[in-house]
Amino acid sequence: MSDNFYRAFEDKHRGKTEDIRQRLTVYLPLVRELDLFYPESIIVDVGCGRGGWLKLLRDKDIQGLGVDLSEGMLAEARKDGLTVELEDCIEFLKKQADDSLIAVTVFHIVEHLPFDLVHTLVIEAQRALKPRGLLILETPNPENISVGSCSFYMDPTHQNPLPPDLLKFLPDYYGFQRTLVVRFQESPNVKDEAGKITLTDVLKGVSPDYSIVAQKKDLRIYFQPSTNFM
């Protein structure tokens, strides 16, 4: 599949860069606190694409570095003056020193990987993160009926949907101290106790994406973000 084809496909079906960037602002309070605690460290964004998340980090004076295999995507990121590298994400993480990163962010990448490589990604992130550092994995949510039965398969590079409990188990298994499933963009009717739920809510109302937010152990002091996000 050509790079140009996939870029055009993402432009049409993933959403506008600004819309994606706006959705990612929910993670800023988490990484901002880590940046204040480790002011000289960086966040690595795996599969950074056009660099929407990296722009948000730069706007908050947080150091970010992106890695991606798409030269076309990286060309767009470089136009904005972002720091990015062309490399396989797993190989890149393997090169990072132990306890060197404050966060590894992985937005809509794990669903493109064989599950064995998702294991490796979590292992390498855990090794490279500083104590208290965060791994954030965002992916389509198969609990959403429309996503799990149709829209997930619109992308020909997707492997398999990853149920939240399965993806959460990986950082739990590999020793992260705290792991949470975060669902967002849900219809308010989904949790309406009055039962005012429509067929559209049933099919599409559940969060179309979810994220796993996992925190590396720190045996000295337990860091808990003050944000109510988690």
Side-chain angles (χ1 to χ4, degrees):
M1 183 186 307
S2 73
D3 194 34
N4 287 339
F5 174 88
Y6 194 70
R7 283 178 58 201
F9 173 84
E10 281 226 321
D11 287 343
K12 181 175 178 61
H13 291 284
R14 177 81 194 279
K16 296 180 181 178
T17 303
E18 187 55 39
D19 292 339
I20 296 171
R21 184 181 176 189
Q22 182 60 38
R23 291 199 294 267
L24 294 174
T25 58
V26 70
Y27 300 107
L28 283 174
L30 288 173
V31 297
R32 181 59 179 160
E33 290 201 25
L34 281 167
D35 180 63
L36 293 172
F37 195 83
Y38 293 117
E40 301 302 319
S41 295
I42 66 169
I43 293 172
V44 166
D45 186 28
V46 169
C48 64
R50 295 166 289 188
W53 173 237
L54 295 174
K55 290 179 190 176
L56 282 173
L57 295 177
R58 185 177 62 186
D59 290 347
K60 299 297 181 181
D61 296 320
I62 300 172
Q63 296 183 71
L65 186 156
V67 58
D68 204 291
L69 275 175
S70 170
E71 183 58 62
M73 294 286 191
L74 294 182
E76 294 297 317
R78 291 190 184 105
K79 287 179 183 178
D80 289 316
L82 301 170
T83 303
V84 293
E85 295 188 16
L86 179 69
E87 190 169 359
D88 175 82
C89 63
I90 302 294
E91 294 306 312
F92 179 86
L93 284 176
K94 287 180 177 179
K95 294 177 183 178
Q96 305 310 301
D98 294 359
D99 302 328
S100 61
L101 308 174
I102 60 172
V104 175
T105 55
V106 189
F107 297 115
H108 289 263
I109 297 300
V110 293
E111 66 271 16
H112 295 266
L113 302 177
F115 195 58
D116 284 350
L117 286 185
V118 182
H119 277 258
T120 305
L121 189 154
V122 172
I123 291 168
E124 292 300 327
Q126 198 271 354
R127 179 193 57 78
L129 284 168
K130 287 182 173 293
R132 320 178 194 189
L134 294 178
L135 171 64
I136 299 174
L137 306 168
E138 184 179 294
T139 190
N141 184 8
E143 295 172 326
N144 180 298
I145 295 174
S146 179
V147 171
S149 64
C150 182
S151 63
F152 180 88
Y153 301 98
M154 279 290 294
D155 189 326
T157 68
H158 280 177
Q159 297 276 322
N160 295 298
L162 295 166
D165 286 346
L166 172 61
L167 192 56
K168 179 183 183 299
F169 184 75
L170 281 178
D172 285 344
Y173 180 78
Y174 288 114
F176 280 80
Q177 181 159 331
R178 186 175 185 228
T179 307
L180 294 174
V181 179
V182 182
R183 299 169 178 87
F184 44 88
Q185 304 175 52
E186 284 193 332
S187 165
N189 292 340
V190 171
K191 298 178 180 179
D192 184 0
E193 295 182 359
K196 297 177 181 178
I197 188 167
T198 67
L199 179 59
T200 299
D201 292 324
V202 171
L203 297 176
K204 298 183 177 182
V206 173
S207 172
D209 303 313
Y210 74 91
S211 61
I212 300 297
V213 181
Q215 183 179 42
K216 184 173 177 177
K217 286 182 180 179
D218 186 345
L219 300 179
R220 300 163 299 169
I221 306 170
Y222 178 57
F223 168 79
Q224 180 173 346
S226 62
T227 175
N228 292 325
F229 173 69
M230 296 199 295

